[in-house]
Amino acid sequence: MESNASSMAHVFLILSVMFTLFSSSNGVVKGAFEENFSKSCPGTHFKTSKDGQIWYLTLDQVSDCGFITKQSYRFGWYSTKLKLVGGDSAGVVTAFYMCSEVEAGPLRDEIDFEFLGNRTGQPYLIQTNVYNNGSGGREMRHQLWFDPTLDFHTYSILWNSHQIVFFVDQVPIRVYKNANHTNNFFPAQRPMYVFSSIWNADNWATRGGLDKINWKNAPFVASYKDFTIDACPWKNPYPACASSTTQHWWDQNNAWHLSSKEKIDYAWVQRNFVVYNYCQDTVRNKYKPQECWLNPLD
């Protein structure tokens, strides 16, 4: 499957060296992990390959593990390659997400990729979610068309004032629109930090919490590489790149809508891989949320 994200590759550079972050305002920023990220786990739970290009995050009964960018951003393109925990991973969640607050406070904005582990032989589920001012409940769940534990695959978020698009290997699996800026549940006002983590969520992640982590299989290791950010770095009081100046590819017309090819790919995903869509949950939502009336293909 191909998408417009790949056709726009000439306007941004996908990393070959993982310790490079790209900022569309400040050019190329290069440096070691410590210059760009902060860890939230013991050193024993965060390792790198010998060449420094793969990061290994470990979960066991001692600790979980994660990292966060030192810089926050508003709008742009955020991407990483990830290989998920293999085997029996029930109860384990691996995440790649964005949040407006370092400590995930009660009034946060958030954009989530969460990978929900499962028993051996059962498929991984991807859960995406959007929070605005502390309220979430906008979950969608998808199965994948490949085994995400065998090799690295690319997971990306496009965020601008018009839409949030979740991509898997450059295929759009979810579009969350802000069409005509009528969606009151769209996080557009605050910059966000970028996070990645692996953690114990066996109270809800697999079959609603029925399947718990089997700690005999620990440690659980998720592998990351090719972390990419092409976005507007936040600087108080308000950076020029946060406005819709259309000077950056992620804030131009082609990034406000899916391309014709992307629409085909998106429809294929909707037909074959959607497991849950909150917009169709009439038990949970007596009234359909406002944004559910927006056409993701507009």
Side-chain angles (χ1 to χ4, degrees):
M1 307 292 290
E2 296 179 355
S3 71
N4 195 45
S6 59
S7 70
M8 293 189 290
H10 67 284
V11 295
F12 68 98
L13 184 60
I14 297 297
L15 305 183
S16 60
V17 178
M18 191 172 68
F19 289 149
T20 305
L21 294 182
F22 289 84
S23 163
S24 56
S25 290
N26 295 344
V28 178
V29 179
K30 295 183 179 181
F33 176 91
E34 290 78 11
E35 296 179 21
N36 298 306
F37 296 92
S38 297
K39 295 193 296 284
S40 61
C41 60
T44 54
H45 289 62
F46 180 91
K47 302 292 184 181
T48 67
S49 58
K50 290 183 179 180
D51 61 6
Q53 296 198 28
I54 302 176
W55 303 344
Y56 303 105
L57 275 61
T58 296
L59 168 69
D60 58 21
Q61 287 181 290
V62 175
S63 179
D64 52 17
C65 191
F67 57 86
I68 175 179
T69 56
K70 295 181 178 180
Q71 172 70 58
S72 60
Y73 303 86
R74 183 171 171 222
F75 303 146
W77 173 265
Y78 311 84
S79 185
T80 191
K81 291 182 179 178
L82 175 60
K83 183 163 71 172
L84 299 175
V85 177
D88 186 347
S89 59
V92 176
V93 169
T94 307
F96 167 54
Y97 65 105
M98 301 163 60
C99 186
S100 60
E101 300 180 22
V102 174
E103 299 297 331
L107 298 180
R108 69 191 184 277
D109 292 347
E110 191 169 312
I111 302 170
D112 294 343
F113 259 122
E114 293 178 311
F115 306 89
L116 313 184
N118 220 326
R119 293 297 183 209
T120 301
Q122 297 299 314
Y124 257 89
L125 293 180
I126 289 185
Q127 176 168 284
T128 56
N129 202 357
V130 176
Y131 283 75
N132 184 61
N133 201 33
S135 297
R138 267 61 182 176
E139 298 95 342
M140 285 192 70
R141 289 187 177 184
H142 295 75
Q143 290 184 350
L144 293 167
W145 50 96
F146 53 83
D147 185 340
T149 71
L150 298 180
D151 202 352
F152 287 92
H153 291 268
T154 304
Y155 305 92
S156 311
I157 298 170
L158 171 66
W159 176 37
N160 55 46
S161 62
H162 295 261
Q163 63 179 0
I164 298 167
V165 185
F166 298 84
F167 292 89
V168 175
D169 286 341
Q170 301 174 337
V171 173
I173 67 165
R174 180 179 183 180
V175 180
Y176 189 83
K177 296 294 287 189
N178 193 23
N180 300 318
H181 302 272
T182 59
N183 182 359
N184 292 325
F185 202 95
F186 190 92
Q189 301 304 315
R190 291 185 285 183
M192 299 195 202
Y193 297 91
V194 184
F195 296 75
S196 290
S197 62
I198 182 170
W199 52 290
N200 175 3
D202 68 5
N203 62 323
W204 65 269
T206 306
R207 294 204 306 139
L210 294 177
D211 290 340
K212 303 299 183 182
I213 291 179
N214 184 351
W215 291 109
K216 293 180 180 179
N217 296 322
F220 303 98
V221 180
S223 306
Y224 291 79
K225 69 176 183 178
D226 295 355
F227 211 98
T228 305
I229 298 176
D230 184 0
C232 175
W234 188 264
K235 292 182 179 180
N236 289 325
Y238 191 88
C241 59
S243 301
S244 294
T245 61
T246 69
Q247 294 180 2
H248 311 283
W249 75 266
W250 37 263
D251 189 30
Q252 296 175 355
N253 185 263
N254 284 345
W256 298 344
H257 317 274
L258 296 185
S259 69
S260 296
K261 183 62 171 63
E262 285 177 330
K263 290 178 180 179
I264 294 173
D265 292 350
Y266 174 81
W268 172 73
V269 170
Q270 304 312 298
R271 289 195 305 271
N272 295 288
F273 300 105
V274 175
V275 176
Y276 174 80
N277 184 346
Y278 76 99
C279 285
Q280 299 171 0
D281 190 339
T282 56
V283 174
R284 184 176 177 185
N285 299 307
K286 182 178 180 181
Y287 302 102
K288 184 178 289 190
Q290 181 187 33
E291 70 275 6
C292 293
W293 296 100
L294 304 176
N295 186 347
L297 301 183
D298 284 344

